[in-house]
Amino acid sequence: MQKGVCLWVVLVSFCFIFVDSRGENGRLLIDGKSRIAETDNDFVCATMDWWPPEKCDYGTCSWDHSSLLNVDLKNKIFKNAISAFSPLKIRLGGTLQDKVIYQTKNHQEPCNNPFLKNTSELFGFTKGCLSLSRWDDLNRFFQDTRAVVTFGLNALVGKTVLADGSAFGAWDSTNAEALMRYTVKKNYTIYGWELGNELSGNGIGARISASQYAHDTLTLYKMVHRVYKGIEPKPLIIAPGGFFNPKWFTKFLNKTSRTLNAVSHHIYSLGSGMDGNLTARILDPSYLDDAGKIFKQLESTINASSSSASGWVSEAGGAYNSGQNLVTNAFVFSFWYLDQLGMSSIYDTKTYCRQSLIGGNYGLLNTTTFEPNPDYYSALLWHRLMGKKVLSTRFLGTKKIRAYVHCAKESKGVTILLMNLGNSTTVNVKLSVNSIWRLHKHRPHTHHQHKTMHSDSESKHTKMGVIRKRTRAEYHLTAKDGNLHSKVMMLNGKELRVNSYGEIPSLRPLYVNSLKPISVHPHSIVFAHIPHFALYACNS
């Protein structure tokens, strides 16, 4: 038997539902008065890299033919997987982008040379070349799949890299401008041009000072305005695509206040791809909380600077050096991935690019079959359900529950994301929505007791007859056979697999009476869309 008490005030509700059921109870507090952050509408992004089949880590070669230069653009699953997002934001780039030469009409050298493995070379490979024919094929593919594309430019052209990794000299933008002019001439749409990859701060393999990087960014800014003269909107200027270093980023931001649209950084918060403790870290709420410090620091750095640039994660694979098979491409990784999406959005991150769309052991798609890995469906559900307005939340109960709430995307109400990191107890989550609370956004997972405001005597004001008829849509994600290392995702108890035509399966919800709590089973993930929560924050 259920008993409920609800108080409806103006556009928001403050509601407690009491249910007798097995498991542990918890309460999710949602502040519906105002949003605390806002993402891009196409917040979910994935990367495509340059690594050739010879890219190997810890004795495993996991990239196969997934490079921008050789991936099969005619594969039906590949095309359908991207089209399903309508649109998917894709970042083209990675370590070897700073060794790519672009073919031009005046380019004298042959452009059929792939990256060749050479341990004495920077990044372990020789230079590679992007031919104009391949650039044509890629752009036609992105047009057909309605992708939103950013491209990472080679920032080391014209520079001398010393033995200690220091890179000196101004950026030679000649080759990049030729590619850009060709792109404009062919009417290809590039959403943003990103300069360099992991060359900021201490750098990876090479490093550029903040002052020089700012000067090079100004060069890119002038070039974009010159090449795109009379064309609006112009592509974004994005940089530096490196690991966050407060001192370096502060100096860089203050010197690019008028030239930079997005300050991009990379995150690999779980450590090495060969680390045996990855799964334990993913399921540790304290470890997940620690990863949020970088987002908080970057937000503070941007706000304290003179820059109007927004924060982007332009590459995040969790575990560096291509990830780890049966972890970063398995169901368990969705706990880390979705928590990253939720955590970064709280700190006003506009775009979050997953490494990778395909390639390595952390691809959203299987490198050889193109079949979606579990994180693909997690990304697709986030993209379809979680709107750009971020709400303040606090969960009261076990620390094993991770909770995030956004205004719903392209529909009324809110979407709630709940994840149960525990392996034994179902948590029944009751919702409390109020427009008075102003919860601090930098403490999303605090478990203090919160003084509540309700009374059984208020039940006479409840519109229970109306509420009982209302339903919410729930999407329960679990691993096949309960195996966290399975590469098969289950939605509401059914396997998610492409059909014989290579079509992405429908993601159909269960419809549940809104009076019931949201039951989050052990090692499961739940998206819940509640259309009748007409919160002020979502309507303003």
Side-chain angles (χ1 to χ4, degrees):
M1 180 177 180
Q2 299 176 356
K3 295 182 180 180
V5 175
C6 292
L7 176 64
W8 291 80
V9 181
V10 192
L11 291 175
V12 296
S13 68
F14 184 90
C15 185
F16 297 101
I17 290 111
F18 305 93
V19 179
D20 294 326
S21 60
R22 281 184 278 178
E24 184 176 331
N25 291 331
R27 180 173 294 135
L28 181 64
L29 311 180
I30 305 171
D31 177 14
K33 186 177 180 180
S34 61
R35 59 184 177 272
I36 57 172
E38 191 167 311
T39 69
D40 284 347
N41 206 43
D42 45 2
F43 171 67
V44 171
C45 167
T47 70
M48 291 180 65
D49 216 310
W50 295 97
W51 290 120
E54 293 76 23
K55 159 68 171 171
C56 306
D57 301 281
Y58 318 120
T60 300
C61 307
S62 58
W63 286 86
D64 200 22
H65 286 71
S66 62
S67 163
L68 284 163
L69 296 179
N70 57 34
V71 69
D72 182 6
L73 301 178
K74 296 181 180 179
N75 184 279
K76 290 182 179 180
I77 299 176
F78 192 36
K79 296 178 72 173
N80 290 336
I82 296 173
S83 297
F85 282 80
S86 190
L88 175 63
K89 188 179 285 179
I90 299 178
R91 179 245 187 181
L92 310 181
T95 299
L96 295 184
Q97 79 179 51
D98 292 308
K99 302 204 74 171
V100 178
I101 303 301
Y102 320 117
Q103 184 184 38
T104 66
K105 292 182 179 180
N106 299 322
H107 194 75
Q108 299 300 316
E109 298 179 20
C111 196
N112 54 0
N113 293 334
F115 296 102
L116 298 176
K117 194 166 186 177
N118 186 333
T119 55
S120 64
E121 290 269 355
L122 181 64
F123 309 130
F125 286 87
T126 62
K127 291 181 179 179
C129 184
L130 173 63
S131 69
L132 293 181
S133 61
R134 182 61 176 181
W135 187 232
D136 290 336
D137 290 343
L138 285 166
N139 278 280
R140 282 192 290 266
F141 175 78
F142 295 134
Q143 287 176 343
D144 290 344
T145 56
R146 301 182 296 282
V148 174
V149 176
T150 69
F151 186 87
L153 293 166
N154 182 342
L156 289 180
V157 180
K159 297 186 185 299
T160 299
V161 180
L162 303 182
D164 66 354
S166 301
F168 288 96
W171 178 48
D172 182 350
S173 61
T174 306
N175 190 224
E177 183 165 347
L179 176 67
M180 196 176 291
R181 289 192 178 279
Y182 179 83
T183 301
V184 171
K185 182 179 179 181
K186 299 285 284 188
N187 291 318
Y188 298 147
T189 300
I190 300 297
Y191 183 71
W193 296 95
E194 186 176 24
L195 184 62
N197 182 87
E198 297 178 359
L199 302 173
S200 60
N202 295 326
I204 302 296
R207 65 182 183 274
I208 303 172
S209 71
S211 296
Q212 183 60 58
Y213 221 125
H215 183 272
D216 296 341
T217 302
L218 175 61
T219 300
L220 174 59
Y221 172 85
K222 290 180 177 179
M223 183 171 70
V224 166
H225 281 258
R226 184 169 61 248
V227 174
Y228 286 85
K229 184 177 181 179
I231 300 174
E232 296 294 342
K234 290 178 172 53
L236 300 183
I237 306 299
I238 308 167
F243 292 100
F244 178 67
N245 176 299
K247 185 177 180 180
W248 192 99
F249 270 65
T250 296
K251 189 173 184 178
F252 176 70
L253 282 168
N254 286 329
K255 288 180 175 291
T256 56
S257 59
R258 298 183 179 181
T259 58
L260 190 67
N261 300 116
V263 55
S264 55
H265 67 117
H266 294 179
I267 293 180
Y268 286 86
S269 58
L270 295 172
S272 164
M274 70 178 297
D275 196 311
N277 296 317
L278 291 185
T279 298
R281 289 176 182 166
I282 292 167
L283 299 175
D284 182 349
S286 296
Y287 198 90
L288 296 179
D289 282 339
D290 284 341
K293 294 177 181 177
I294 294 176
F295 301 121
K296 180 179 179 180
Q297 283 184 305
L298 178 61
E299 183 190 42
S300 298
T301 301
I302 293 174
N303 290 341
S305 75
S306 57
S307 175
S308 60
S310 57
W312 279 38
V313 173
S314 62
E315 185 179 313
Y320 58 81
N321 288 343
S322 304
Q324 185 178 118
N325 188 35
L326 299 181
V327 177
T328 57
N329 54 11
F331 176 83
V332 69
F333 209 51
S334 278
F335 291 112
W336 173 84
Y337 178 41
L338 288 173
D339 195 70
Q340 282 275 297
L341 294 180
M343 186 82 73
S344 62
S345 66
I346 287 174
Y347 297 105
D348 218 30
T349 300
K350 302 303 182 184
T351 292
Y352 189 104
C353 299
R354 166 64 179 266
Q355 174 82 343
S356 62
L357 174 59
I358 187 167
N361 283 319
Y362 39 34
L364 297 180
L365 305 176
N366 183 285
T367 303
T368 54
T369 68
F370 294 86
E371 282 268 355
N373 286 323
D375 280 4
Y376 171 84
Y377 296 110
S378 295
L380 187 56
L381 278 171
W382 178 289
H383 178 75
R384 290 180 177 179
L385 298 174
M386 303 288 274
K388 61 183 183 179
K389 296 178 181 179
V390 186
L391 302 183
S392 179
T393 65
R394 180 174 295 173
F395 182 76
L396 305 181
T398 172
K399 293 183 179 181
K400 292 293 185 178
I401 291 290
R402 310 292 287 181
Y404 298 96
V405 182
H406 286 218
C407 297
K409 190 170 189 177
E410 299 178 357
S411 62
K412 295 181 179 179
V414 301
T415 301
I416 297 170
L417 169 62
L418 296 166
M419 295 179 283
N420 189 347
L421 306 180
N423 62 0
S424 60
T425 304
T426 295
V427 181
N428 300 305
V429 180
K430 307 164 189 177
L431 308 179
S432 297
V433 184
N434 192 288
S435 64
I436 298 173
W437 292 329
R438 191 70 180 92
L439 305 183
H440 200 282
K441 69 177 180 178
H442 291 166
R443 299 171 67 187
H445 296 294
T446 303
H447 299 271
H448 300 323
Q449 290 298 319
H450 186 88
K451 185 176 181 180
T452 59
M453 301 177 293
H454 73 279
S455 169
D456 288 340
S457 65
E458 294 171 345
S459 61
K460 63 182 179 181
H461 301 293
T462 303
K463 299 180 181 179
M464 295 300 290
V466 176
I467 297 172
R468 288 185 193 281
K469 294 179 181 178
R470 295 184 174 179
T471 59
R472 63 173 179 261
E474 292 186 357
Y475 304 78
H476 292 255
L477 302 176
T478 53
K480 184 178 181 181
D481 300 325
N483 178 10
L484 290 179
H485 301 286
S486 172
K487 294 184 180 181
V488 178
M489 176 81 87
M490 308 288 286
L491 172 60
N492 298 327
K494 296 181 179 180
E495 286 189 23
L496 292 173
R497 291 188 182 276
V498 298
N499 62 21
S500 58
Y501 300 100
E503 296 172 333
I504 301 301
S506 299
L507 304 181
R508 297 176 180 173
L510 294 173
Y511 290 97
V512 180
N513 189 311
S514 288
L515 281 175
K516 295 182 178 180
I518 303 172
S519 294
V520 192
H521 300 292
H523 284 167
S524 74
I525 299 165
V526 180
F527 285 93
H529 172 221
I530 310 176
H532 54 272
F533 272 13
L535 304 184
Y536 182 81
C538 298
N539 294 320
S540 61

PDB file of all heavy atoms in Angstrom, residues 281 315 351 379 418 421 451:
ATOM      1  N   ARG A 281      38.453   1.627  -9.373  1.00  0.00           N
ATOM      2  CA  ARG A 281      38.403   3.090  -9.380  1.00  0.00           C
ATOM      3  C   ARG A 281      37.076   3.593  -9.952  1.00  0.00           C
ATOM      4  O   ARG A 281      36.495   4.558  -9.446  1.00  0.00           O
ATOM      5  CB  ARG A 281      39.571   3.651 -10.186  1.00  0.00           C
ATOM      6  CG  ARG A 281      40.909   3.481  -9.502  1.00  0.00           C
ATOM      7  CD  ARG A 281      42.035   3.963 -10.384  1.00  0.00           C
ATOM      8  NE  ARG A 281      43.325   3.753  -9.744  1.00  0.00           N
ATOM      9  CZ  ARG A 281      44.486   3.829 -10.374  1.00  0.00           C
ATOM     10  NH1 ARG A 281      44.527   4.111 -11.667  1.00  0.00           N
ATOM     11  NH2 ARG A 281      45.619   3.616  -9.722  1.00  0.00           N
ATOM     12  N   GLU A 315      39.123  15.835 -25.537  1.00  0.00           N
ATOM     13  CA  GLU A 315      39.533  14.417 -25.588  1.00  0.00           C
ATOM     14  C   GLU A 315      39.516  13.839 -24.192  1.00  0.00           C
ATOM     15  O   GLU A 315      40.129  14.384 -23.270  1.00  0.00           O
ATOM     16  CB  GLU A 315      40.931  14.268 -26.198  1.00  0.00           C
ATOM     17  CG  GLU A 315      41.354  12.807 -26.392  1.00  0.00           C
ATOM     18  CD  GLU A 315      42.733  12.682 -27.026  1.00  0.00           C
ATOM     19  OE1 GLU A 315      43.002  13.376 -28.027  1.00  0.00           O
ATOM     20  OE2 GLU A 315      43.547  11.895 -26.501  1.00  0.00           O
ATOM     21  N   THR A 351      31.145  21.266 -24.183  1.00  0.00           N
ATOM     22  CA  THR A 351      31.272  20.107 -25.064  1.00  0.00           C
ATOM     23  C   THR A 351      32.200  19.089 -24.412  1.00  0.00           C
ATOM     24  O   THR A 351      33.213  19.464 -23.817  1.00  0.00           O
ATOM     25  CB  THR A 351      31.836  20.522 -26.438  1.00  0.00           C
ATOM     26  OG1 THR A 351      30.863  21.313 -27.127  1.00  0.00           O
ATOM     27  CG2 THR A 351      32.188  19.313 -27.294  1.00  0.00           C
ATOM     28  N   ALA A 379      25.855   7.205 -24.393  1.00  0.00           N
ATOM     29  CA  ALA A 379      26.021   8.515 -25.034  1.00  0.00           C
ATOM     30  C   ALA A 379      24.762   8.925 -25.782  1.00  0.00           C
ATOM     31  O   ALA A 379      24.326  10.087 -25.719  1.00  0.00           O
ATOM     32  CB  ALA A 379      27.212   8.479 -25.993  1.00  0.00           C
ATOM     33  N   LEU A 418      20.511   8.367 -12.693  1.00  0.00           N
ATOM     34  CA  LEU A 418      20.885   7.734 -11.432  1.00  0.00           C
ATOM     35  C   LEU A 418      21.749   6.515 -11.721  1.00  0.00           C
ATOM     36  O   LEU A 418      21.427   5.715 -12.608  1.00  0.00           O
ATOM     37  CB  LEU A 418      19.642   7.306 -10.649  1.00  0.00           C
ATOM     38  CG  LEU A 418      18.718   8.434 -10.171  1.00  0.00           C
ATOM     39  CD1 LEU A 418      17.379   7.867  -9.731  1.00  0.00           C
ATOM     40  CD2 LEU A 418      19.371   9.206  -9.035  1.00  0.00           C
ATOM     41  N   LEU A 421      26.456   2.313  -7.938  1.00  0.00           N
ATOM     42  CA  LEU A 421      27.774   1.679  -7.986  1.00  0.00           C
ATOM     43  C   LEU A 421      27.854   0.439  -7.107  1.00  0.00           C
ATOM     44  O   LEU A 421      28.797  -0.348  -7.220  1.00  0.00           O
ATOM     45  CB  LEU A 421      28.852   2.674  -7.545  1.00  0.00           C
ATOM     46  CG  LEU A 421      28.911   4.019  -8.276  1.00  0.00           C
ATOM     47  CD1 LEU A 421      30.032   4.872  -7.695  1.00  0.00           C
ATOM     48  CD2 LEU A 421      29.101   3.835  -9.774  1.00  0.00           C
ATOM     49  N   LYS A 451      17.085  19.521   6.299  1.00  0.00           N
ATOM     50  CA  LYS A 451      15.807  19.765   6.952  1.00  0.00           C
ATOM     51  C   LYS A 451      14.710  19.869   5.902  1.00  0.00           C
ATOM     52  O   LYS A 451      14.798  20.633   4.956  1.00  0.00           O
ATOM     53  CB  LYS A 451      15.866  21.066   7.756  1.00  0.00           C
ATOM     54  CG  LYS A 451      14.600  21.312   8.573  1.00  0.00           C
ATOM     55  CD  LYS A 451      14.752  22.550   9.424  1.00  0.00           C
ATOM     56  CE  LYS A 451      13.493  22.784  10.250  1.00  0.00           C
ATOM     57  NZ  LYS A 451      13.615  23.991  11.092  1.00  0.00           N
TER      58      LYS A 451
END
